[in-house]
Amino acid sequence: MASRLAARARQVAALAIALLLAGLCLLSVDSRFAGTSAAEAALQARELERWLLWLTIGTVVALLVVALWGKRVDGIFEKALARVARVTDRTVAWGADLLFLIAALVLSRYLFAGNPHHVDSIAQLFQGRIFLSGGLTAPAPERFEFFGATHLLVSAGRWFSQYPPGHPALLAVGLGLGAPWLINPVFAAATAVLVFAVGRQMLGPAEARLALVLLVISPFALFMSASFMNHVTTLFFLTLALYAALRATEGERQLRWSAALGLALSAAATIRPLDAAAWALVLGVWLLLRRGWRPAAVAGAVCLLGLVPLLAYNGLTTGNPLRFGYSLLWGPGHGLGFHTDPWGQPFTPLKSLALTALDFRRLNVGLFAWPFPSVIVLALALALAGSDRRLNRFWPPVAALLLAVPLAYFFYWHRDGYLGPRFLYPSLVPAVLLTAAGICSLDARLGRWRPALRLMLAAGLASALAMELPARTGYLSGLEPELKFHPEVLARDAGIRQGIVFVKTGWGNRLVARLWGWGISAPEVERTYRVVDGCRLQGALDRADSAAAAGVDSAVVRDTLRVQLAVWRGLGLPVVRGLLPDASVRVDTTVALDRRCAAEVRADASGFTHYGPLVWRNDPGLRHGVIYSRMLEPQRNRELLASYPGWDSFLYAPQSRERGTRPQLRRLDPRQWEAPAAESDKRGSP
């Protein structure tokens, strides 16, 4: 009776999870809560229409074909599968892995030109440069406004990135080899090997092969693996932890594999601590229930020991072993829980539900790029798993791993859809394992209608490889062309070995940098920039500079500036964006631009580029080689040059505002700089 009740409970739980996944993927997401763009909402609507059309026509055609020629079609599939079965597991695993590695490397060069395209990656690559120079931090620049970038912080006269050290340390290896873009493809390929090993140990050879194929063709996996994002290296260590946990629960040498589990989890924690904590809870409970307290205690002890370097790093950089750089830079609003986020927006359970649903909808679209919802088969797998004796032992922990990270991030305020729902990336491995198990289980149950399933899957695979994957690759390759440039090549070709390269950035970037230079905290800068028009900010900063030049104590000037910014944030000013050459700058449409601000707009009209993608190319100490600096006002630029006596100066800027225009590098004559037109700011008072 007890065993029957337990089996029934597992069936109900599996069905409930399947319904939960389906509900999240179909839940209508209000853009007010999830922040979806009109373009993304329209894309999701088109995807839904395409899925419904394809499923309707595809199902009818597949059933008709089976009704007329079912045995013949089934025979064709059986012969093809028999030929594949004759290929050894080693050949399949290493062949698919090599294909995955080559695809990720090619995409890395084609989509990203070997450059980081996300602010997170840029900051971590800069930290890798610091590690390569032999330190944990570097001396902070005296003029942070010239060199600061998003997610870099200054503490106790040192600067470093906000991120844990694991991924930057791996990128440092790539920097040392002269090819940091190699790191993620290599770790992604290693993850594919582990997925095959886990699938074979947990499910069987057929499921393992299918899971490997699903991973290799997944656009989500391919695009992320080609990037610099730390989710990729995290997933390797999490998958290694899953393999170690499986060996500890199923095989011999339990304590050794338990220790390996602890080490893998601690390695993942040095990259993405929340992801590692979510998986550690699931794998730890699984090990405890399967093998008792001793292996679980060994895994826990080794994991805690493996966290010592991370805690030491925190202590040496932030001053507290338990405080991460995120909290030091952004304050308590960055932490877990429902509160006002660092950008000044309320984070509520309703908003979190919308963000979670949006993540799963993105996963539904990007997981396999089939012409039908990817989560359909995943949900079917869970629905069938509860009554499949072969899967009874393994589906609960795999399903728990699928949901562990989304549940953890339910209490985290930020999401984005960069290359897919990146915060759900750890769920990719349990997703492909469950999908493979579901396909094999469904295939075994359908009897004479089995060819219909196979036809649908074959057509979906052909559509993904022939149409969707190339289309999405082409779309991504056209995004952000300005981030694909290599100024270091221009400098090398010009024979420049040492010099200051002033980068012409947009007005908004200069305003933010000057606020940083005055010591305004990252949350204050972000909240201010989102609601205050650029001309008010320009006037406030000019007055602050004038007061400092007149001898007013800098702390007094900074406090006065902070008070003024706080007043403006509370006014609810009528500002809009998208009207100026730098579309990020807000404009108060009720007041005309003064001459000072108009000069800034004219400067942008001739073209500008980004500074952030260049900062990681600098020597962290800013004393050797080619140093890339943000270009500010002429007098400030002269002051910066004075701290580099004898150095030549150069300008890095595009010649027009046309998107994708390649910036040029040319020598500067500082004597030709002229001070911009000045005018007293008439927006100084609220």
Side-chain angles (χ1 to χ4, degrees):
M1 177 66 71
S3 62
R4 284 199 299 270
L5 288 174
R8 178 63 64 181
R10 285 196 296 270
Q11 291 177 4
V12 172
L15 183 59
I17 295 173
L19 292 174
L20 173 64
L21 290 176
L24 286 171
C25 291
L26 296 175
L27 183 65
S28 178
V29 177
D30 191 321
S31 62
R32 291 174 300 175
F33 296 112
T36 51
S37 65
E40 182 171 16
L43 173 64
Q44 291 178 347
R46 289 197 302 271
E47 285 286 347
L48 181 59
E49 293 175 0
R50 187 172 73 97
W51 289 338
L52 291 174
L53 179 63
W54 199 94
L55 280 173
T56 301
I57 297 175
T59 302
V60 171
V61 171
L63 292 176
L64 184 61
V65 168
V66 172
L68 295 175
W69 307 288
K71 290 185 178 180
R72 184 180 302 177
V73 173
D74 196 41
I76 293 173
F77 277 114
E78 285 298 316
K79 288 180 181 179
L81 292 173
R83 290 180 180 178
V84 172
R86 286 197 291 269
V87 182
T88 65
D89 283 350
R90 182 184 296 272
T91 301
V92 169
W94 290 109
D97 189 57
L98 180 61
L99 179 64
F100 191 38
L101 174 61
I102 293 172
L105 289 172
V106 170
L107 287 173
S108 176
R109 305 301 296 178
Y110 177 66
L111 296 180
F112 309 117
N115 280 341
H117 278 219
H118 195 279
V119 291
D120 295 15
S121 301
I122 291 167
Q124 290 175 83
L125 202 52
F126 178 78
Q127 186 64 46
R129 183 79 69 184
I130 292 177
F131 289 158
L132 191 63
S133 70
L136 299 180
T137 61
E142 294 181 5
R143 301 175 180 273
F144 190 69
E145 63 269 27
F146 283 102
F147 305 103
T150 304
H151 301 328
L152 299 183
L153 62 103
V154 174
S155 177
R158 314 288 294 181
W159 71 330
F160 51 97
S161 86
Q162 69 171 6
Y163 294 96
H167 190 65
L170 296 172
L171 291 176
V173 176
L175 286 167
L177 297 173
W181 48 270
L182 275 174
I183 297 301
N184 270 7
V186 169
F187 273 86
T191 302
V193 173
L194 288 171
V195 166
F196 180 79
V198 168
R200 184 172 175 81
Q201 181 82 8
M202 181 179 285
L203 303 170
E207 290 87 346
R209 293 185 177 202
L210 184 54
L212 179 59
V213 170
L214 292 174
L215 179 67
V216 168
I217 66 169
S218 168
F220 189 24
L222 284 168
F223 296 148
M224 287 291 290
S225 300
S227 75
F228 282 77
M229 301 299 286
N230 65 3
H231 306 266
V232 177
T233 49
T234 303
L235 184 60
F236 166 77
F237 289 110
L238 292 179
T239 310
L240 180 61
L242 174 58
Y243 179 72
L246 186 62
R247 295 297 300 269
T249 58
E250 293 296 314
E252 300 176 352
R253 300 179 178 177
Q254 294 171 13
L255 297 185
R256 292 187 184 181
W257 284 111
S258 297
L261 166 62
L263 281 176
L265 289 172
S266 63
T270 66
I271 305 173
R272 296 189 65 84
L274 186 57
D275 298 24
W279 275 51
L281 179 61
V282 173
L283 295 177
V285 170
W286 186 35
L287 183 60
L288 179 65
L289 294 177
R290 294 283 296 171
R291 289 301 181 185
W293 67 267
R294 190 178 179 191
V298 169
V302 172
C303 183
L304 290 175
L305 186 63
L307 291 176
V308 170
L310 173 62
L311 299 178
Y313 175 82
N314 286 345
L316 292 171
T317 53
T318 70
N320 185 335
L322 299 179
R323 180 169 59 190
F324 290 90
Y326 317 111
S327 299
L328 185 61
L329 180 61
W330 295 101
H334 192 279
L336 299 178
F338 302 114
H339 49 245
T340 299
D341 68 31
W343 297 350
Q345 303 299 313
F347 179 57
T348 65
L350 184 60
K351 182 175 182 179
S352 179
L353 178 61
L355 291 172
T356 303
L358 179 61
D359 273 345
F360 275 98
R361 289 184 69 171
R362 287 169 172 163
L363 184 68
N364 204 15
V365 171
L367 184 57
F368 302 124
W370 288 335
F372 50 84
S374 299
V375 178
I376 278 184
V377 181
L378 182 57
L380 280 173
L382 285 165
L384 295 172
S387 57
D388 190 324
R389 292 183 178 180
R390 272 191 329 119
L391 300 178
N392 265 344
R393 287 187 303 165
F394 298 117
W395 79 259
V398 178
L401 291 175
L402 176 73
L403 298 176
V405 167
L407 181 61
Y409 280 103
F410 189 83
F411 302 97
Y412 182 62
W413 59 277
H414 178 62
R415 302 289 200 289
D416 65 54
Y418 180 66
L419 305 179
R422 63 185 180 94
F423 288 93
L424 264 58
Y425 197 66
S427 297
L428 177 64
V429 166
V432 298
L433 289 170
L434 285 170
T435 301
I439 290 174
C440 292
S441 180
L442 190 60
D443 185 79
R445 291 166 180 252
L446 286 180
R448 64 167 295 204
W449 299 108
R450 180 175 61 183
L453 172 67
R454 294 177 173 182
L455 281 172
M456 295 279 284
L457 291 173
L461 178 61
S463 173
L465 294 179
M467 298 173 61
E468 289 300 312
L469 186 57
R472 295 181 189 189
T473 301
Y475 171 75
L476 287 175
S477 70
L479 293 179
E480 302 175 320
E482 60 275 13
L483 300 183
K484 295 184 178 183
F485 303 136
H486 287 269
E488 72 279 6
V489 175
L490 294 178
R492 185 186 63 215
D493 292 345
I496 303 171
R497 296 182 177 275
Q498 180 174 278
I500 296 291
V501 175
F502 287 98
V503 180
K504 186 184 179 187
T505 64
W507 186 20
N509 185 267
R510 299 193 297 273
L511 290 172
V512 168
R514 289 185 61 187
L515 289 170
W516 287 340
W518 270 109
I520 308 301
S521 70
E524 289 177 292
V525 171
E526 189 67 36
R527 295 180 183 188
T528 300
Y529 190 68
R530 288 168 173 259
V531 298
V532 179
D533 67 289
C535 210
R536 278 188 173 85
L537 293 178
Q538 185 69 56
L541 288 165
D542 288 346
R543 288 193 301 277
D545 291 345
S546 297
V552 180
D553 183 76
S554 60
V556 174
V557 175
R558 180 175 60 252
D559 291 343
T560 302
L561 178 60
R562 291 186 64 189
V563 169
Q564 178 66 88
L565 298 179
V567 170
W568 283 337
R569 288 197 301 270
L571 288 179
L573 298 168
V575 298
V576 295
R577 57 176 297 177
L579 301 181
L580 301 180
D582 186 342
S584 71
V585 179
R586 273 66 173 179
V587 177
D588 184 348
T589 56
T590 65
V591 183
L593 291 177
D594 62 31
R595 190 168 61 181
R596 173 73 172 89
C597 298
E600 298 290 344
V601 174
R602 285 195 301 272
D604 283 358
S606 61
F608 57 88
T609 190
H610 300 283
Y611 175 72
L614 305 180
V615 68
W616 69 270
R617 293 174 164 90
N618 285 340
D619 160 46
L622 303 174
R623 301 313 305 175
H624 306 290
V626 177
I627 303 299
Y628 297 93
S629 162
R630 188 179 280 106
M631 174 175 270
L632 299 175
E633 293 79 8
Q635 180 57 36
R636 287 176 173 274
N637 297 337
R638 293 191 191 96
E639 292 172 358
L640 178 66
L641 276 177
S643 61
Y644 291 90
W647 284 43
D648 291 329
S649 59
F650 305 85
L651 174 66
Y652 181 71
Q655 302 304 302
S656 76
R657 278 186 57 210
E658 185 177 352
R659 185 172 176 80
T661 300
R662 187 176 297 276
Q664 302 297 312
L665 185 64
R666 63 181 178 85
R667 188 176 296 274
L668 273 177
D669 183 357
R671 294 172 299 180
Q672 296 177 351
W673 277 331
E674 296 180 0
E679 180 178 309
S680 59
D681 180 28
K682 298 174 183 175
R683 304 186 185 197
S685 58

